[in-house]
């Protein structure tokens, strides 16, 4: 059968239409499905990326907070005695180093040291010092507190002591130093004042003065007092382990 020019044109048009339709269903439509899948994956990746960015944004403030906490810990540890100065390179406690630490204060106050002793070297839990009000609450109190004013005032007075009583007591290292010496009232007072003024955690635990008259009580006629007395001190030196600097920049 012969096709004229018109039929050929129609046939060619139909073939083109079929090719286009076949392309749409065979090539373009699957690609549209891939595009939809890729868009869903892209949306999921974007959500993950946003979560990562949020975490990255949290890192810098967290690093600053850690560094600030470390800085505060260092400042706090500076209030305590540096215990490492009393140890040798093998971590053995050296009593003579503690003696060397205390000697300048003894000499400055002109005490005549006769004996020193290094006591316990141990840990101790320090409790908080706070004032706890003694409050009387009776049925009369409850009956009088019609408007709750007394109770509010009581809660205000107890707030500080309640807060401190609930805090965790911390542990420190305590090194005890015993000193037997002789000196005048002024020497002894100057030594106690000096220890008290040190900007570190050293506490005079006890003082025992043998002669509170400083030689005046038992003077024989014609004798002159040297105005001195034997005295014994027990001194506690408080230390803490210094915190390692945290690595936060890696």
């Amino acid at each position: 059968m012969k096709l004229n020019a018109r039929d050929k044109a129609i046939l060619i048009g139909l073939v083109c239409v079929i090719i286009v339709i076949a392309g749409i269903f065979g090539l373009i439509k699957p690609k549209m499905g891939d595009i939809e899948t890729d868009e869903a994956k892209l949306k999921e990746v974007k959500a993950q990326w946003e979560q990562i960015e949020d975490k990255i944004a949290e890192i810098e403030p967290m690093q600053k907070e850690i560094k600030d906490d470390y800085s505060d810990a260092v400042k706090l540890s500076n209030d305590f005695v540096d215990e490492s100065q009393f140890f040798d390179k093998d971590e053995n406690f050296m009593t003579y180093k503690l003696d060397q630490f205390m000697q300048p204060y003894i000499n400055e106050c002109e005490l005549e040291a006769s004996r020193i002793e290094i006591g316990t070297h141990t840990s101790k839990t320090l409790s908080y010092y706070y004032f706890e009000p003694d409050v009387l609450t009776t049925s009369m109190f409850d009956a009088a507190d019609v408007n709750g004013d007394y109770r509010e005032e009581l809660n205000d007075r107890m707030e500080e002591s309640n807060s401190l009583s609930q805090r965790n007591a911390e542990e420190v290292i305590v090194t005890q130093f015993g000193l037997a010496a002789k000196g005048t009232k002024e020497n002894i007072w100057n030594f106690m004042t000096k220890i008290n003024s040190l900007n570190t955690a050293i506490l005079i635990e006890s003082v025992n003065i043998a002669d509170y008259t400083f030689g005046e009580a038992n003077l024989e006629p014609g004798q002159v007092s040297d105005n001195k007395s034997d005295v014994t001190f027990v001194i506690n030196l408080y230390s803490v382990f210094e915190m390692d600097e945290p690595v936060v920049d890696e």
Side-chain angles (χ1 to χ4, degrees), residues 38-231:
D38 291 343
E39 285 180 345
K41 289 182 178 179
L42 178 60
K43 186 176 181 180
E44 181 180 351
V45 170
K46 283 184 176 180
Q48 292 175 351
W49 177 252
E50 289 175 356
Q51 291 178 355
I52 294 173
E53 284 186 327
D54 291 340
K55 291 181 179 179
I56 292 174
E58 293 174 357
I59 290 176
E60 187 173 347
M62 189 180 300
Q63 288 176 328
K64 183 179 183 304
E65 184 177 351
I66 293 173
K67 289 179 178 179
D68 289 343
D69 288 343
Y70 170 71
S71 179
D72 291 340
V74 170
K75 290 178 182 178
L76 181 61
S77 66
N78 289 338
D79 292 335
F80 291 84
V81 178
D82 179 11
E83 191 194 40
S84 63
Q85 62 187 307
F86 305 140
F87 288 83
D88 61 15
K89 62 180 181 180
D90 297 320
E91 298 301 318
N92 296 314
F93 185 78
M94 308 298 289
T95 57
Y96 78 90
K97 290 189 175 184
L98 178 55
D99 177 42
Q100 289 178 340
F101 176 80
M102 294 299 299
Q103 277 297 331
Y105 309 125
I106 297 171
N107 296 336
E108 179 183 339
C109 299
E110 300 180 358
L111 286 176
E112 302 168 15
S114 59
R115 188 180 75 257
I116 63 165
E117 293 181 2
I118 308 302
T120 58
H121 177 71
T122 185
S123 60
K124 180 179 180 181
T125 301
L126 291 182
S127 58
Y128 289 95
Y129 170 79
Y130 59 92
F131 172 71
E132 185 174 357
D134 185 12
V135 180
L136 179 64
T137 56
T138 64
S139 57
M140 181 177 63
F141 173 89
D142 294 330
D145 193 23
V146 177
N147 299 318
D149 295 336
Y150 289 160
R151 176 61 59 182
E152 183 177 354
E153 181 184 353
L154 173 60
N155 291 338
D156 290 341
R157 291 171 60 189
M158 296 294 295
E159 182 177 2
E160 180 179 1
S161 63
N162 289 339
S163 174
L164 291 176
S165 66
Q166 295 170 9
R167 294 181 68 175
N168 292 330
E170 301 298 336
E171 196 174 51
V172 296
I173 302 168
V174 183
T175 305
Q176 203 165 70
F177 179 85
L179 168 65
K182 189 172 186 177
T184 64
K185 183 188 299 185
E186 182 180 5
N187 297 148
I188 296 170
W189 180 259
N190 288 342
F191 181 74
M192 291 190 293
T193 302
K194 181 65 179 181
I195 296 300
N196 184 59
S197 67
L198 296 177
N199 190 27
T200 190
I202 300 179
L203 176 67
I204 298 177
E205 183 77 6
S206 66
V207 182
N208 183 13
I209 300 174
D211 180 7
Y212 284 92
T213 68
F214 289 89
E216 295 291 339
N218 300 314
L219 281 179
E220 298 291 337
Q223 284 185 327
V224 178
S225 172
D226 60 2
N227 296 320
K228 294 182 180 180
S229 173
D230 292 323
V231 60

